[in-house]
Amino acid sequence: MPAFLPDATQGVVRSLDAGDLRACGIEALQTNVFHLMQKPGSAVIKALGGLHRMMGWDGPIVTDSGGFQVYSLIHQNPKFGALTERGMLFRPEGSQRRFQLTPEKSVQLQVDYGADVVICLDDCTHVDAPREAQEASVVRTLAWARRGKAEFQHQVQQRGIGPEERPKLFAVVQGGGHRDLRQRCAQGLLEVGFDGFGLGGWPLDSQGQLLLDIIAYTRELVPRELPMHALGVGQPDNVVACARLGYDLFDSTMPTRDARHGRLYVLNAGSDKLSDDWYSYLYIGDDKHIRAREPLELGCDCACCAQYSRAYLHHLYKLKDSLYFRLATLHNLRFMTRLMAGLQKEDITRRHREHGDEGQERGQKEQRDS
Ligand SMILES: [Zn+2]
């Protein structure tokens, strides 16, 4: 850790297969119950032997509970559904079917899908929502997390899954921008007991800036040895900032969506410290790339940079060829995994500094043993 998980929201990281993902160093994937239960549907996923078999992916899979998606759907337009103490009832746009998500059902489906990390259903709020709404969300999130954990224990027992094989169970810390509410939520969840935690709520303010104060405070509420997932954080600068605050897991559709839309990430030469303009956006659709013979990024070892010029990629982009989507996505994901490797190195150095000589000796021993 830390690790970046691309979003395979509907069971696919668009245009890449499991071999491609492994080739760019991806260790784990994030999927989403809200989307998967609609397409391809829970019965299909079960019939195909679960998410790992279906996707040909043998690494860890985190399934998000869908709380955020249902919230944004219902929040944007109440005619799409309703939220009650029991759970969420919704009918997505264009769909004739109604779906129900309760804390219990969300956990059941995630276990059915074969998730390695199950996330309890939470009641997500907007950061600008009034205090009463934030308080209600904390009360509901705590109640749902208790129900989620009870159901999880029941599922594990019923299926005869041993303590070593069972998935990890995470809960989400809500509370908006209020420190006392975040504290109340984290404290309550810690008392119930979970394997890890997620940062709940939208992580950016209305200007698109990371809410650093509350994000840092929320991390401090959870003991360092318990992993914390910065849900939905994926913009490279934001990943660096949150990793430095002690967050371990990140997921976002941004790097892959940016790739498909022609916005590619390039590490600036000599900026391995990840500070001050350490990366740039390269817009591959720009005319200046028409004859550019160099790769996207000289220092990158991805399959795209190893073989192809910017000019060729520009050509594929203009054609909207499926090869463009694959190569561009490979590059942006490789950028993210190289970024994570840089942050891991930073983390090891920091721990050695904190633990002084003892840590260094342990580090040397680890090296000898490996
Ligand atoms: Zn590359």
Side-chain angles (χ1 to χ4, degrees), residues 15-37:
S15 74
L16 300 191
D17 82 337
D20 288 334
L21 292 165
R22 260 180 244 114
C24 47
I26 293 297
E27 293 168 283
L29 301 178
Q30 179 106 352
T31 63
N32 190 294
V33 169
F34 170 75
H35 291 288
L36 288 170
M37 71 193 293

Side-chain angles (χ1 to χ4, degrees), residues 296-297 300-306 327 330-332 334-335 338:
L296 282 177
E297 186 194 325
C300 180
D301 58 358
C302 82
C304 176
C305 293
L327 293 175
L330 276 173
H331 171 79
N332 270 9
R334 183 65 188 133
F335 175 94
R338 288 186 301 142

Side-chain angles (χ1 to χ4, degrees), residues 13 28 36 67 69 94 121 126 148 152 154 159 174 191 222 232 266 284 340 348:
V13 176
L36 288 170
Q69 283 72 21
L121 190 67
H126 193 273
F152 179 79
H154 173 68
R159 294 166 197 241
Q174 293 292 350
E191 280 163 19
V222 173
V266 175
I284 197 64
M340 299 326 282
I348 292 166

Side-chain angles (χ1 to χ4, degrees), residues 2-74:
F4 175 78
L5 285 60
D7 277 335
T9 314
Q10 311 202 55
V12 60
V13 176
R14 294 215 174 165
S15 74
L16 300 191
D17 82 337
D20 288 334
L21 292 165
R22 260 180 244 114
C24 47
I26 293 297
E27 293 168 283
L29 301 178
Q30 179 106 352
T31 63
N32 190 294
V33 169
F34 170 75
H35 291 288
L36 288 170
M37 71 193 293
Q38 298 173 53
K39 285 181 200 164
S42 301
V44 173
I45 297 171
K46 263 181 97 168
L48 294 175
L51 288 177
H52 290 89
R53 284 277 294 282
M54 181 178 96
M55 298 168 68
W57 173 255
D58 53 10
I61 296 179
V62 177
T63 40
D64 206 348
S65 65
F68 180 78
Q69 283 72 21
V70 178
Y71 150 76
S72 36
L73 183 84
I74 296 173

